Amino acid sequence: MGKNRFILIIAAICFLCSCTKVKDVYTYGEPDNTDWSKAADSATNALIGQFWNEAEGYFNYGSNESNTGFQYWPNAHAMDVLIDAFTRTNDSKYSAYFDKWFSGIKNKNGNTYYNVFYDDMEWNALTFLRLYSATKDEKYLNAAKELWDDIANGWNDDYAGGGVAWKKDMLYSKNACSNGPAAILAARLYNITKEDLYKQWAQKIYEWEKNTLYGWASGGIYDNINGESGVVNTTVLTYNTGTFIGAAVELYNITGDITYLNDAQKCANYTITKCIDTGNNVLRDEGTGDNALFKGIFIRYYYLLMQEPELNADYKRKFVNFFNNNALSVWTKATYKQSLLFGPSWIAPPVGEAQLTAQASACMMIEAKAAFEKSGM
């Protein structure tokens, strides 16, 4: 993520909740006759057409070459959208970008995958694992392992009693954004390799985050703790609730411990009642730049939770209704129809060109909805 997020304060965010009971039913929205497979094809193809830099093998930051700059962590999420599309369709037109991107981002990042931000490396490593799962090409797994070894060095007990630091030059800053994805990464490395050390890391990181940044009464995830002062920034962002949910789901599937599933349910319920635009019943606009990616990250892991067979039936009904309403709002209200561009709001189209962060976030929502419809869940 970008350098301006350490003291992230979001103005004008309303945390008021219009429904708090599990059995509350969302009644927003309208009849949905959308062909979500075609919608996902269109949105993802627009992501490629508007942002892909064929000459250098990465996604530009701005649409229509309005900003050809390279941003390391949003590129991982843009590639995740293409992996979603490939998984959904098995169409080689999407997998044709895998190797180009893998080489291109390394070149643009100074001929290395390493980065000063631990969370940025975590996102690229997670994408490498998804590429490995899609292709079984060992180079992706090896790159993820190399990044993991560097990320594990970000853990220190000197500040806040543990946790993975946010940045290599700010070891006292322990953030949810660098711990949630790290726990997911370690869990997935365990699932692939069956090396117990990865499982131990996943549990260790998760427990630290839960004990340090989790709102036990509410289910929210706080942004960070300053290890020098001990001050906790209690801002709650969808990025952080999403990755906490993702880590909990991974660990539940590994261990069978229902506590993890309960944690995920509680955190998800908090997010869809507190982190929303209550007038439209969608995830709130958290801003431009890096912040525009947060909602899509939440949806990716929220969708994993929705698929859990043991999910409480009342929660599942509520979660699915909210999921569907967000998808419909993105597609019918937030799409600039002429170019299929998206902005940071999921209730209004962008003005002018779009940022890669906002585009990838909306595409993640639409691809998730297409996968949901295909699954018949």
Side-chain angles (χ1 to χ4, degrees), residues 36-88:
W36 285 103
S37 180
K38 289 182 179 178
D41 289 343
S42 299
T44 299
N45 290 340
L47 170 66
I48 297 169
Q50 289 278 348
F51 292 88
W52 178 251
N53 187 321
E54 180 63 26
E56 299 195 68
Y58 68 92
F59 293 94
N60 293 327
Y61 192 70
S63 61
N64 194 31
E65 297 187 339
S66 59
N67 183 341
T68 57
F70 170 73
Q71 294 288 332
Y72 182 70
W73 88 287
N75 257 266
H77 294 282
M79 178 48 63
D80 271 335
V81 173
L82 270 64
I83 299 170
D84 292 339
F86 177 70
T87 302
R88 176 175 54 83

Side-chain angles (χ1 to χ4, degrees), residues 8 16 27 46 51 57 65 88 156 185 188-189 196 220 233 237 256 291 299 309 322 324 337 349 361:
L8 183 55
L16 297 177
T27 56
F51 292 88
E65 297 187 339
R88 176 175 54 83
N156 70 77
L185 176 60
R188 290 184 175 180
L189 281 167
D196 198 58
N233 178 345
L237 303 168
N291 295 38
I299 287 296
F322 183 79
N324 288 337
K337 300 300 183 183
S361 184

Side-chain angles (χ1 to χ4, degrees), residues 49-235:
Q50 289 278 348
F51 292 88
W52 178 251
N53 187 321
E54 180 63 26
E56 299 195 68
Y58 68 92
F59 293 94
N60 293 327
Y61 192 70
S63 61
N64 194 31
E65 297 187 339
S66 59
N67 183 341
T68 57
F70 170 73
Q71 294 288 332
Y72 182 70
W73 88 287
N75 257 266
H77 294 282
M79 178 48 63
D80 271 335
V81 173
L82 270 64
I83 299 170
D84 292 339
F86 177 70
T87 302
R88 176 175 54 83
T89 66
N90 200 34
D91 192 328
S92 61
K93 74 178 181 182
Y94 299 115
S95 58
Y97 293 94
F98 292 174
D99 281 349
K100 295 177 185 178
W101 176 85
F102 186 68
S103 299
I105 63 162
K106 183 177 184 180
N107 181 58
K108 293 299 292 186
N109 194 51
N111 200 35
T112 181
Y113 294 120
Y114 295 129
N115 195 275
V116 68
F117 291 96
Y118 284 109
D119 60 323
D120 289 24
M121 292 192 291
E122 290 158 12
W123 286 119
N124 277 276
L126 283 166
T127 301
F128 296 164
L129 288 187
R130 294 194 70 211
L131 288 171
Y132 171 73
S133 295
T135 67
K136 302 307 177 186
D137 190 328
E138 291 287 333
K139 69 173 179 284
Y140 299 127
L141 177 58
N142 291 336
K145 288 180 176 179
E146 289 174 11
L147 280 180
W148 167 257
D149 289 342
D150 196 48
I151 291 161
N153 290 329
W155 177 281
N156 70 77
D157 296 313
D158 297 332
Y159 301 102
V164 178
W166 177 46
K167 291 180 65 183
K168 292 178 178 177
D169 56 358
M170 293 177 65
L171 297 180
Y172 61 86
S173 181
K174 303 296 181 65
N175 294 39
C177 72
S178 53
N179 284 275
I184 297 171
L185 176 60
R188 290 184 175 180
L189 281 167
Y190 169 76
N191 286 332
I192 293 170
T193 67
K194 300 306 176 185
E195 294 179 23
D196 198 58
L197 184 59
Y198 290 126
K199 175 183 172 182
Q200 294 173 21
W201 267 111
Q203 292 176 306
K204 177 181 177 180
I205 295 168
Y206 181 88
E207 290 306 320
W208 178 88
E209 183 175 9
K210 182 176 177 179
N211 290 328
T212 310
L213 298 176
Y214 179 66
W216 288 75
S218 66
I221 300 296
Y222 303 139
D223 189 68
N224 69 78
I225 182 171
N226 183 318
E228 292 182 324
S229 66
V231 173
V232 175
N233 178 345
T234 57
T235 301

